[in-house]
Amino acid sequence: MAPFSPPDGINFCCVGVLPSAELSSILSKVVGYLKRVDPHARLRQYDDWWQHDGLHFYKRDLDFGGLFDIVKTPADLIEAIQGDTYVRVGIAPIDCKWYLRFYVDAHDPEATLEGDFDLTLPDEMASGFREGVARELGCTLQQEDAWSYYRRLPPRTGRSRYWGL
């Protein structure tokens, strides 16, 4: 398997955190859009440690049915999270055309479960997402070119940046 590198294009990043129930609903809509674009895509799940310590690990192959199962409920989101702080679930098709990342902070049992997500799409998919799905999500999204977005992701441990950016 070739090393993973994030796709080029536009990154749509959730501004702030969302309650886990809202995040689950939004992610279901995002996954629905991705499935409509390429319903037979073979997907890969990753443990995305970029914001934890700058690392990235393949976890398993899945299809859209498996991805819908991951985002279906807040409990499913929490079950999918690796467990360490700032470690996200990453999902991409095998060709890495797009990349979906999400996180739920489940470390404080007394706190309200909240999380966020971001989605990187190639230019040809970004306009359809922006004009259709993004308006229906009910959350604020920041948009920027993918290279700039990934370059500024800070590993919390101070390790070097990713991919020589």
Side-chain angles (χ1 to χ4, degrees):
M1 180 181 325
F4 181 86
S5 61
D8 291 327
I10 304 295
N11 180 271
F12 296 87
C13 182
C14 173
V15 175
V17 293
L18 302 166
S20 59
E22 186 176 344
L23 179 62
S24 173
S25 174
I26 287 170
L27 288 172
S28 292
K29 292 174 186 173
V30 169
V31 172
Y33 167 76
L34 296 169
K35 182 178 181 185
R36 284 191 302 276
V37 171
D38 187 2
H40 304 291
R42 293 176 36 216
L43 308 176
R44 289 193 172 139
Q45 181 178 343
Y46 298 92
D47 287 334
D48 180 329
W49 291 58
W50 289 340
Q51 286 162 280
H52 178 83
D53 62 4
L55 300 175
H56 196 263
F57 302 98
Y58 166 82
K59 185 168 185 173
R60 66 181 175 132
D61 287 354
L62 70 160
D63 60 13
F64 278 108
L67 180 51
F68 275 116
D69 287 344
I70 290 172
V71 302
K72 188 173 16 182
T73 68
D76 295 323
L77 290 174
I78 292 163
E79 187 175 319
I81 297 296
Q82 189 276 341
D84 285 315
T85 305
Y86 304 117
V87 177
R88 296 172 176 271
V89 172
I91 305 288
I94 289 176
D95 64 5
C96 295
K97 186 174 185 175
W98 50 263
Y99 189 43
L100 172 64
R101 307 166 66 236
F102 61 87
Y103 176 71
V104 176
D105 186 356
H107 290 89
D108 183 353
E110 302 297 318
T112 301
L113 296 176
E114 297 175 319
D116 62 20
F117 76 98
D118 68 86
L119 173 65
T120 303
L121 296 170
D123 293 333
E124 65 270 14
M125 287 176 66
S127 61
F129 179 78
R130 185 183 303 111
E131 295 165 10
V133 180
R135 293 179 181 173
E136 300 171 9
L137 295 181
C139 67
T140 303
L141 297 174
Q142 177 179 323
Q143 299 175 47
E144 66 183 303
D145 70 275
W147 192 87
S148 297
Y149 175 76
Y150 288 111
R151 182 162 191 227
R152 71 178 172 76
L153 286 181
R156 302 296 183 194
T157 60
R159 288 184 55 155
S160 62
R161 300 268 184 219
Y162 328 103
W163 321 288
L165 298 176

